Structures are given as structure tokens and as C-alpha cells.
Amino acid sequence: MVEKKAHIKTENLNLWFDNKHVLHNVNFPVYDKKVTALIGPSGCGKSTLLRSFNRMNCLIPTCQTKGKIFLNGKNIYENGQDLTQIRAQVGMVFQRPNPFPKSIYDNIAFGLKIQGKNKNFIKEKVVQSLKDAWLWDEVQDRLNASAFSLSGGQQQRLCIARALANQPDILLLDEPTSALDPQSTAKIEELCLSLKEKVTILIVTHNIAQAGRISDYTAFMYLGELIEFGKTEQVFTVPKNKKTEAYLEGVFG
Amino acid sequence: MKNSRKIKAAIGIFSLNVSIFLTISFLAIFLIVIFSKGFSVLSWEFISTSPRKYMTEGGIYPAIVGTFWLTLISVGFALPFGVLTAIFLTSYAKPYWLVRIVRTAINTLAGVPSIIFGLFGLTVFVNLFHFDVSLLSGALTLGILALPVIINNTEEAIRTVPNDFIEASLALGATQRQTILRVILPTAFPNILTGTIISIGRVAGETAPILFTAATFYTRQLPRSVFDEVMALPYHIYALLTEGSHAEKQVPIAYGTAVILLLLVLFVSTIAIVIRYKIRKKRKW
Amino acid sequence: MKMKEKIFKIITYSSSIMTIIFLLGIITSIFAEGIPIFKEVNLKDFFSSPNWHPTCFPPDFGILSLIVGSFLVTLGALIIAVPLGIGVAIYISEIAPFKVKEILKPTVELLAGIPSVVYGLFGLIFVSPLITNLLGVPIGLNIFNAALILGIMIVPIISSMSEDALSSVPKSLREASYGLGANKWETTIKIVLPAAKSGIFSSIILGFGRAVGETMVVLMVAGGAAQIPDSLFDPVRPMPATIAAEMGETAIGTPHFHALYGIAIVLFIITFVSILLIEILRKGKSIK
């Protein structure tokens, strides 16, 4: 139990869109340098929960949040927080690969450029991030090519590299492989396993098997509530809750 | 019963064909007349020299130069306002009542007759600001006329930028301003350019707004500053047909000027349409 | 960082507010210069007297004949342009094969950009003698000529906006109609056209606004006589033409000068009402 250190956790998190209560009193820790998977049927609020970690939900005018999310001991929902700083600290990768219509290099340099970092530092970080995202070998001789010249799987790894360049404390992955073919999916899964040495990962996935393959911890959500949280092994083999068991057996999905 | 349905359909579709045929032939006759009568007077001398002998001889070079400057200054004046307003409407869009008022203002500006813009320019720029009848007064008047076109086109261009890009940028810690300047505007740029070119075509052909604000019938001099009167292609056509006393010599020059103006406007609009077509084909998102 | 955000936001807000200021400037300037005419002539005479003799002694400032001129020319233009414009729109949207559509659509857009002064030239030099020769009327510059030229000019405006409205009718509606055994014409007339009617109506109002406010064509082609016409082939002097023709010859601050701005007020109110109508139609549609 010594390994359990969590610099990131939610405390009584509640969220509404208009009058619709989407998240109910969610409490769970995201352990350092581990992969935590969020699973559950569609519409259960897992993506909304993920988007709470960098306050992306705040872009929707009707969204209201109560409760806390701690990032390195600081509650990001406290008044007067600098959203841009929080988002720079939290990396996010979306369902569909969404590179900017810029070059490969400029995509990855984007986050650092807007922070006004110096050129040499940016160059170094771009190379490092591409290597960390296993893309360097494929693109090193065409960094100035358009990001759209890459395949779907490569584009998604580019988006991972782009998020890594900011040196985030946590990487949020929102069903990152749902738009990809099986081969690219396998590569991204392997990449996640290697990345957890460097960065904490929270992944939303629709694919139960994927959660089983790559995560250390699993959180199961249903109708906006966190039903069960525990080590993946335990959740998958001896779930404590009937609903978890039913979901894993494919009763609803 | 079945036959009468068929006959009705045949008549209906026939009438559609008639309407497209009539429209195209009207416009074809129009273009053929203008071009056939105008081409004969075209020459290098026609576009490179000044008019002589009270407009009965010589070329239209000062009018070309005047139209060039009027267009350039007016679009240069309207573009920043237009782009910034489009950014307000798409990215900030708060408070709601202000958005409503701005939108109504834009729609109204777009529908106000161009002669009223001319009166406005006369009252405000010529008389109130004492710019007199000048390149500047005319260009500012035309700029305000072009503003709604530029705003609407820019707004449309910005709305084609996928939300994915905006989310990605914000998630990387970019501020709203950084997202606008570094992601939204560069992505929308080709479409904004197209819209701007279209507005250039509009501005270059307008006559009524410059009647009392900028245009002069006959000058052999080019404008030396923005406070000089200028000749302009559309006004020149009008002046050749309604002033002076040598119709038989002035009408061919008017046709020639019309061809130059048409070529200019059609050329500019064609560029815009081609660019837009290319963007649609090339776009990958 | 925070500072830059604020400054940028303020700049975008200020330039949006400038659009409002420009509009208010236009309204203020025509009203400020136009209202004084009502010291010379009362509102009733201004609108109901057909005598427009601004340079006589004493001058007459009745604009009825100018309003009638504008109205007749605009009506004539719409009679020509509405069926043609909607016909072209239906053809492009429903009938034309893909390739033809790809060519016709940008062509129509291109034609919408032709400067009105060139249309004026065409009507003045080419159509006018044609009318006197073919129809045997004494004056070629008249209501008929102006309406014809204006009509051709606004066909592209009506057709491109109508075409947008027709194209945005969902495909599923058409398929449902075909599925029930309707043919192309029946589907177009009974299903597609009614579904697009508010957009088509807007396009007609837009065309009306353009025709009423268009200056150069009526200035060059309508004949310029300030009179209540007896026939389609009589010359008239529509409102924009009056302003354009006379503003250059009046001294600032004279009653004549103010009267021309008074005409501009009338013109502005007419177009403003048409703009409001379009907005109401648009809103009605978005609520539905």
C-alpha cells in the first residue's frame, strides 16, 4: 500500500448542465504514475468527469460545478484560478485526432510558444516529446510537413506528443482509440504503458478489454455516480457491486 | 388522371427551362453588346493615357488609378473593423443584447441603398470633417458600405473552423486571444481572403456613393494626396454618357471603360470563386 | 498576460460598437439634414402633392410623382425578376445535373457582381433605341426600360438566395415524397417549395430593397420626368435618381438640399421596413 500516492483527486464533485444533474458526489483518487481507466455505459458521465480535470466543461455556458478537484494539493475549482495555467498543467487527448492545420513541428511547439519559451528550449522539447510518443522515427525528416499528411494513428500520437510537450502532471485521454484501426490502437495502448513511468494517465474508454489491458486502477461509473473504484484486477475479477458485474458481463452497454 | 399528372409535370419543367433560357439569353445579349462595342476602342494607349479634348479623345488611365486607390483604401479601412467585429460575434458574443444590436446594425447597413451612403459621406466626411470632395471621403464612404459584406464573409469563414481545433488549443493552455490569433484566424485565412476579394469587386463597381464624395468628371492629373478629387471607372462611364456634347465620340469611350470595369470586376470575382473552390477540395478536416 | 487579453477584448468590442455608430451616423445625418424641409412644406403636401419643382419660384416640394415612379419601376422589375429568379433557383437546385449546377451557381454569383452603371449604359444606349424602333413609342427611356434592366439585374440576387433556401430543405423530405409515388415536379411544387417558402419570400423582399434603392439604372434609364405617368412607356423620376441628379446642383442648406435628404429619409424607411421583414421571417423560421 506504500505505492499509493495521489496528488490528484476529486472531492464531492457535482456537476449540472442546466438543471440536469450529470455528476453525483464523485470521490476518487488518481494515483501517481499509474494508468486509471474510467469505464461505464455511454451517457454515464465519464467523459464529463474527465473534462472536469482541466475545466473544459466551463466552456459550456450552462455548466455548473460544485465540489473540488485537487491538483498537487491545490483545488482547481477555487475562485480566481488561472484556467490557462491549469490546462497547461493537464494534458488532454481527444476522441478524434485533432491536429492543427499547421506543420508537425508547429503543432507540438504550440503549447510552449504561447507560454513564450525560448526557441532552443522548444526545439529540444519537440524532439523529446516526439520520441516519448514513439513518433520520432517516422517523422524526423519531415517536421515541416503538414500534420494532415500523417495517418490517423500517427495523428493521434502527434496529439499525445503535443500534450506531453507541456510537461503535464496528468494526461487525460478521452477514448483516444475509438476512431482508430486495431493496429494503431494496439500501438497507442503500448505507448500508454510506457508513458506511465513519466506521467499519470487517466483514460476514458468504451472498450472494457482495453481497460483490462492497460490500466492499474479502474473506476466504473453509472448514471453519473461512481459505483466502484479499485485495482483493475480486483474490479474485473471480483467486483463488489452487482452493477459493475453486470456491465463487465455485457448486460448493458 | 395519370396522363394529366404527366402533362402538368412536363409543362412545369418546361417552364423552368424557359426561365433559365430567358435569363441566360438576356445576360448573354447584355455581355455580348458591351464587349463587342467596347473591345474596338481598347488599346494600350486607352488604358495608359489621360483623356484629352474634354473627354472626346484619349484614355482612361486616371480613372483606373482612381478606382485602384478608392478600392484599396476603402477595403484597407473596413477590413480590420470587419474582422474584429466578426471575432466579437463568433468568439465573445456576450452580452446577448449587444450581439442582437450589432447584428441588426450590420443587416441594416447591408440593406441601406448606396445613394444614402453617398449622402452620409457628403454630410459627415465632406462637410463636417472638411475632407471636401476627395479620395479620402469617397474611400471612407465605400469602406462603410463594404463593412457588412466583409463582416458576414469573415464570420462565415470563422464558423467553418472546427471546434476540435479550438478545444485542442484551449486544452493546451492557450488563452482565448491566443486561440483566436494563432488557431482560428490562420485556419480561416483563405476564406477571409476570398470574402475580402468579393468585397473588392463590389466596391470597385459602386457609383452612387462616390457621386458627391470623391468623383470628378474630368481631370488630367492623378491624385497626389488623399485630399484630391479623383476620377473613377464607374463614374467615368456615367459622366461620359450624361455630360459633354460629343455623344458620338463619348459613347465608344464609355463602352471601352465599361469593358475595363467588367473585366476588372469579373476577374476579381473569378479569383475569389477559384480560391474558394480550391480550398473546398483541399480541406482535410 | 491578463492585460493583453483585456486589451484585445476591448478592441473587438469597440469595433463592433463602431458598426452601430456608423449606422446611427447614417440615420442621424439624413434626419438632421432632412427634417428642416418640413419648415417649408407640411408633411401632407410633401407626400401627396405630385408637383416637384424645387427650383421654381415659389418652389414645390411634393414627392408623390417620385414615389409613384419608384413604385412602378420596382413593381415592374419584380414582375420580371421574381418568376425568372425563382425559376432559375428551382432549376439549379432541383433539376440541373451536378456538372451543370457546378457551373451555373458560380456564374449566377458572378453576375450578381456586375456594376449597376454598366447595366445603365446598356439600357441607355442599346435598349432605349430598340424600344423606340420596335414599339414605336416616342421615348425609349421610360418605366418599361428601367423595369426591364432592373429586373435582369436583380434576378441573380433573388435566385441565389432562393437557391440557398431550396438546397437547405432536407433530402429526407424529397425521398418521402418520391416514396409515396410523387414525380419530380409534384415533389418540387408541393413539398420542397412550401418548405423553403420563408427563404424564398426573404429573397423577394431583398430583391425589392435592391430595386427600390438602386440609383444608377433609374438615373440613366427611367427618363427623369417628375410626373405621374399615364402609360408604361412614360418617363418617370424615381427617388434615388432625383437625389443623384440634383444633389450636385444645389447649395448646402437650401430648402432643395433639405428636400433631397427628406427623400432619403423616405427611402431609408422603406428599406428599413423590408430589412425588418426579412429578420422577422428568419426568426419565425428558426423558432419553428
Side-chain angles (χ1 to χ4, degrees):
Chain A
M1 292 307 230
V2 193
E3 54 166 0
K4 284 195 181 180
K5 265 205 295 187
H7 285 112
I8 299 161
K9 60 180 178 185
T10 70
E11 231 179 73
N12 296 327
L13 190 71
N14 283 280
L15 187 143
W16 294 264
F17 289 127
D18 270 328
N19 293 319
K20 216 179 135 213
H21 201 167
V22 183
L23 296 178
H24 301 258
N25 268 330
V26 177
N27 283 292
F28 81 107
V30 184
Y31 293 116
D32 287 6
K33 308 285 159 76
K34 300 284 176 205
V35 176
T36 303
L38 278 171
I39 61 171
S42 41
C44 69
K46 54 191 192 302
S47 277
T48 306
L49 177 59
L50 189 81
R51 289 165 151 264
S52 301
F53 281 85
N54 59 350
R55 296 190 56 172
M56 285 299 273
N57 290 320
C58 296
L59 295 176
I60 301 160
T62 60
C63 170
Q64 272 191 311
T65 311
K66 260 190 194 156
K68 297 169 182 170
I69 291 183
F70 286 99
L71 196 66
N72 296 329
K74 218 170 63 180
N75 174 16
I76 62 169
Y77 279 90
E78 214 163 82
N79 285 337
Q81 291 289 323
D82 183 355
L83 280 187
T84 58
Q85 206 180 334
I86 293 167
R87 288 178 186 152
Q89 241 175 303
V90 177
M92 183 161 201
V93 176
F94 297 80
Q95 262 188 39
R96 278 196 311 154
N98 59 352
F100 298 125
K102 297 172 186 280
S103 71
I104 293 170
Y105 184 93
D106 285 340
N107 259 280
I108 296 171
F110 184 85
L112 300 168
K113 271 189 187 162
I114 57 175
Q115 291 170 38
K117 298 278 197 263
N118 78 49
K119 270 202 172 154
N120 286 332
F121 177 82
I122 293 178
K123 216 176 235 173
E124 210 174 282
K125 274 288 153 204
V126 170
V127 175
Q128 186 58 44
S129 309
L130 281 170
K131 283 180 177 161
D132 288 346
W134 296 355
L135 203 56
W136 176 249
D137 293 337
E138 292 156 64
V139 303
Q140 56 172 313
D141 47 2
R142 50 174 175 139
L143 291 177
N144 288 320
S146 160
F148 286 106
S149 64
L150 300 174
S151 73
Q154 287 174 322
Q155 285 185 16
Q156 197 60 304
R157 275 182 282 139
L158 179 82
C159 291
I160 293 174
R162 186 172 68 182
L164 289 175
N166 275 352
Q167 293 179 283
D169 299 322
I170 178 171
L171 195 58
L172 307 174
L173 305 174
D174 189 358
E175 300 188 34
T177 60
S178 63
L180 301 181
D181 60 276
Q183 240 178 332
S184 308
T185 300
K187 188 131 190 182
I188 295 223
E189 287 180 8
E190 276 175 60
L191 176 61
C192 283
L193 289 172
S194 98
L195 279 177
K196 72 174 178 179
E197 288 173 15
K198 296 191 166 162
V199 59
T200 308
I201 293 178
L202 182 59
I203 178 170
V204 164
T205 174
H206 224 79
N207 179 338
I208 300 171
Q210 182 173 64
R213 284 194 295 271
I214 64 172
S215 69
D216 303 293
Y217 292 88
T218 295
F220 170 64
M221 291 191 64
Y222 184 62
L223 297 178
E225 283 181 72
L226 180 69
I227 304 293
E228 185 158 357
F229 174 79
K231 285 205 156 186
T232 300
E233 246 178 55
Q234 172 255 311
V235 173
F236 273 62
T237 50
V238 278
K240 290 176 194 147
N241 193 297
K242 281 252 160 66
K243 285 177 192 154
T244 317
E245 197 176 338
Y247 178 68
L248 291 172
E249 281 169 2
V251 174
F252 53 87
Chain B
M1 184 65 199
K2 206 172 179 187
N3 260 336
S4 85
R5 278 180 62 193
K6 267 195 180 161
I7 292 168
K8 264 190 195 166
I11 294 174
I13 288 175
F14 176 73
S15 64
L16 291 181
N17 283 304
V18 170
S19 67
I20 194 97
F21 173 77
L22 278 179
T23 307
I24 288 178
S25 25
F26 271 139
L27 291 162
I29 293 171
F30 165 70
L31 290 175
I32 289 168
V33 166
I34 302 288
F35 278 98
S36 65
K37 304 227 173 182
F39 260 125
S40 57
V41 296
L42 293 193
S43 65
W44 177 246
E45 197 205 340
F46 187 67
I47 57 171
S48 67
T49 63
S50 293
R52 290 192 309 269
K53 296 194 181 162
Y54 298 101
M55 314 296 263
T56 56
E57 279 174 33
I60 57 166
Y61 180 63
I64 295 175
V65 172
T67 287
F68 173 79
W69 283 114
L70 280 170
T71 310
L72 191 76
I73 296 173
S74 62
V75 172
F77 165 71
L79 191 61
F81 280 115
V83 172
L84 287 166
T85 305
I87 288 171
F88 164 76
L89 289 173
T90 50
S91 298
Y92 292 107
K94 263 184 240 167
Y96 183 63
W97 59 265
L98 184 60
V99 178
R100 281 285 304 277
I101 297 177
V102 171
R103 268 195 201 291
T104 308
I106 294 165
N107 289 340
T108 311
L109 280 178
V112 167
S114 53
I115 186 77
I116 292 184
F117 280 93
L119 292 185
F120 165 72
L122 175 66
T123 310
V124 174
F125 301 127
V126 177
N127 293 334
L128 190 66
F129 293 176
H130 293 295
F131 294 160
D132 294 334
V133 175
S134 65
L135 175 56
L136 185 62
S137 296
L140 293 178
T141 308
L142 287 172
I144 296 172
L145 178 101
L147 196 55
V149 184
I150 292 180
I151 294 173
N152 288 335
N153 282 319
T154 309
E155 190 184 347
E156 218 171 279
I158 289 179
R159 292 211 185 276
T160 63
V161 176
N163 205 32
D164 287 6
F165 295 172
I166 298 166
E167 280 201 328
S169 169
L170 293 172
L172 286 165
T175 64
Q176 194 162 14
R177 176 185 58 92
Q178 287 167 328
T179 304
I180 291 164
L181 294 179
R182 290 167 185 254
V183 177
I184 297 179
L185 286 187
T187 310
F189 176 75
N191 281 316
I192 295 176
L193 184 72
T194 318
T196 310
I197 295 174
I198 288 172
S199 70
I200 287 176
R202 273 286 301 279
V203 166
E206 284 287 349
T207 321
I210 57 172
L211 279 177
F212 338 114
T213 56
T216 177
F217 173 39
Y218 178 56
T219 172
R220 301 203 49 191
Q221 281 166 346
L222 299 180
R224 277 155 309 171
S225 85
V226 291
F227 295 106
D228 280 353
E229 295 185 318
V230 288
M231 290 178 70
L233 288 171
Y235 181 72
H236 194 56
I237 297 171
Y238 171 67
L240 281 166
L241 296 174
T242 53
E243 319 224 345
S245 50
H246 296 84
E248 74 290 347
K249 286 186 183 161
Q250 288 174 207
V251 167
I253 301 179
Y255 272 115
T257 311
V259 168
I260 297 292
L261 181 61
L262 268 185
L263 286 178
L264 184 87
V265 170
L266 294 182
F267 175 69
V268 161
S269 319
T270 309
I271 291 179
I273 289 169
V274 168
I275 293 180
R276 188 167 51 197
Y277 186 73
K278 286 228 162 120
I279 300 168
R280 282 199 190 138
K281 269 201 149 167
K282 234 175 71 181
R283 191 157 60 197
K284 292 214 176 75
W285 60 81
Chain C
M1 198 78 157
K2 274 268 150 73
M3 201 62 198
K4 278 189 186 169
E5 292 300 309
K6 275 223 174 95
I7 292 170
F8 184 70
K9 201 170 166 179
I10 289 170
I11 293 174
T12 61
Y13 275 72
S14 325
S15 58
S16 313
I17 290 167
M18 280 308 284
T19 61
I20 303 171
I21 292 175
F22 288 143
L23 178 64
L24 290 180
I26 288 173
I27 295 173
T28 314
S29 59
I30 59 170
F31 275 85
E33 299 284 21
I35 297 285
I37 186 57
F38 298 112
K39 282 185 220 152
E40 306 288 327
V41 55
N42 66 46
L43 212 58
K44 186 176 160 275
D45 288 346
F46 187 67
F47 285 107
S48 66
S49 157
N51 300 318
W52 174 258
H53 304 299
T55 51
C56 290
F57 284 101
D60 288 316
F61 294 111
I63 64 166
L64 183 65
S65 57
L66 315 182
I67 295 177
V68 170
S70 270
F71 173 76
L72 290 175
V73 169
T74 304
L75 185 72
L78 287 178
I79 289 173
I80 294 166
V82 168
L84 285 184
I86 295 176
V88 168
I90 297 175
Y91 183 85
I92 293 178
S93 152
E94 308 295 316
I95 311 283
F98 183 73
K99 276 256 159 87
V100 178
K101 186 175 170 170
E102 287 280 281
I103 296 169
L104 272 182
K105 245 189 107 159
T107 309
V108 169
E109 269 178 69
L110 218 59
L111 293 173
I114 291 178
S116 56
V117 68
V118 183
Y119 282 106
L121 160 72
F122 180 69
L124 177 66
I125 304 296
F126 185 78
V127 179
S128 167
L130 219 58
I131 291 175
T132 42
N133 291 340
L134 289 181
L135 301 174
V137 291
I139 305 165
L141 300 175
N142 51 33
I143 301 174
F144 176 77
N145 192 346
L148 179 72
I149 303 292
L150 261 190
I152 299 173
M153 201 179 128
I154 60 176
V155 166
I157 293 163
I158 293 182
S159 75
S160 76
M161 191 165 167
S162 289
E163 200 266 328
D164 285 344
L166 291 168
S167 300
S168 64
V169 173
K171 214 174 150 198
S172 59
L173 273 184
R174 293 186 180 85
E175 281 166 354
S177 169
Y178 288 132
L180 292 167
N183 61 35
K184 196 164 209 165
W185 175 249
E186 289 160 342
T187 304
T188 304
I189 292 297
K190 294 189 175 144
I191 304 296
V192 182
L193 220 49
K197 71 167 185 279
S198 80
I200 291 177
F201 213 66
S202 298
S203 80
I204 296 173
I205 300 174
L206 191 77
F208 165 81
R210 264 300 165 77
V212 144
E214 169 50 39
T215 309
M216 296 320 288
V217 169
V218 292
L219 176 61
M220 296 163 81
V221 182
Q227 58 170 6
I228 307 269
D230 294 324
S231 98
L232 196 57
F233 299 100
D234 278 356
V236 288
R237 192 178 189 84
M239 291 184 280
T242 312
I243 301 173
E246 297 173 20
M247 186 53 83
E249 293 153 14
T250 44
I252 296 171
T254 58
H256 187 190
F257 176 86
H258 293 308
L260 295 177
Y261 275 89
I263 298 171
I265 296 176
V266 177
L267 209 51
F268 177 81
I269 290 172
I270 294 173
T271 44
F272 188 67
V273 168
S274 71
I275 292 157
L276 283 185
L277 268 179
I278 294 178
E279 290 227 331
I280 290 167
L281 280 175
R282 195 178 291 156
K283 245 217 213 124
K285 204 187 167 200
S286 66
I287 288 167
K288 196 169 66 185

